[in-house]
Amino acid sequence: MYITISDFIKEWNKEALLTQKVLDGLTDDSLAQQVYPEGRTLGRIAWHFTTNIPDYLTHFGLKIDKIENTKNVPSSAQEIAITFKNISSHAAKIIEQQWTDESLEQIQEAFGRQESNATILMGLIKHIIHHRGQITILMRQAGIKPFGVYGPPK
């Protein structure tokens, strides 16, 4: 659990860097990879968690510009990677500017539960990690060796 904004920012920046390395390994062709025909594509998943960052933060009271046109997944892997880099960096600044250590203790309704802002921020990181795992599987299916997130890839 995060006690200070600084604690959160350290974890956020670490996980954002790992996610960035995964996204930097994508190719334009890999964005179309699906687990099954009706499933989301790798590109849709990456675009979802990237564009969801500002949506998530505004839902919990932070003021950050949302991404326009989130329905259309870019055809460029580089565009997704650059967008993630910019949004994740900007989100860290917004959180540092708008919330204090005391803000982390405040309770809000989150997905039908009463949660502290610290838990809510942890949920954002876990959401990205969850989808990052899906992407690494789809990368393998697309013939790309993914970046070794927490250790070397097999």
Side-chain angles (χ1 to χ4, degrees):
M1 185 62 60
Y2 310 112
I3 298 171
T4 67
I5 294 292
S6 177
D7 290 341
F8 168 76
I9 296 298
K10 285 178 196 167
E11 184 75 7
W12 176 259
N13 288 339
K14 178 181 142 195
E15 293 300 332
L17 179 62
L18 293 171
T19 301
Q20 189 67 54
K21 289 182 178 186
V22 170
L23 294 176
D24 288 343
L26 298 177
T27 64
D28 294 349
D29 289 340
S30 72
L31 299 180
Q33 185 66 44
Q34 294 174 284
V35 176
Y36 56 94
E38 299 82 27
R40 287 194 269 181
T41 63
L42 186 158
R44 167 56 60 204
I45 294 167
W47 193 238
H48 159 69
F49 73 71
T50 297
T51 61
N52 178 256
I53 295 168
D55 290 344
Y56 189 97
L57 294 176
T58 58
H59 183 80
F60 294 107
L62 291 149
K63 292 174 181 56
I64 183 171
D65 291 336
K66 293 185 177 187
I67 304 297
E68 298 296 321
N69 203 12
T70 61
K71 298 273 188 249
N72 295 326
V73 177
S75 59
S76 163
Q78 184 179 20
E79 182 179 343
I80 293 172
I82 289 169
T83 303
F84 177 81
K85 184 176 186 175
N86 292 338
I87 289 174
S88 63
S89 174
H90 184 62
K93 291 175 185 151
I94 292 295
I95 293 165
E96 284 179 314
Q97 292 169 357
Q98 295 181 24
W99 277 2
T100 64
D101 295 347
E102 292 75 28
S103 299
L104 295 176
E105 298 172 16
Q106 293 173 355
I107 304 296
Q108 296 191 55
E109 175 145 338
F111 313 109
R113 300 179 301 273
Q114 295 294 307
E115 301 283 2
S116 70
N117 284 339
T119 301
I120 288 167
L121 289 178
M122 186 184 325
L124 178 57
I125 289 176
K126 288 180 177 182
H127 177 247
I128 293 168
I129 290 170
H130 162 74
H131 288 305
R132 185 177 68 202
Q134 291 176 319
I135 286 174
T136 61
I137 299 295
L138 291 170
M139 287 175 80
R140 287 188 184 280
Q141 291 179 348
I144 300 170
K145 184 177 180 181
F147 171 76
V149 176
Y150 297 123
K154 297 252 179 189

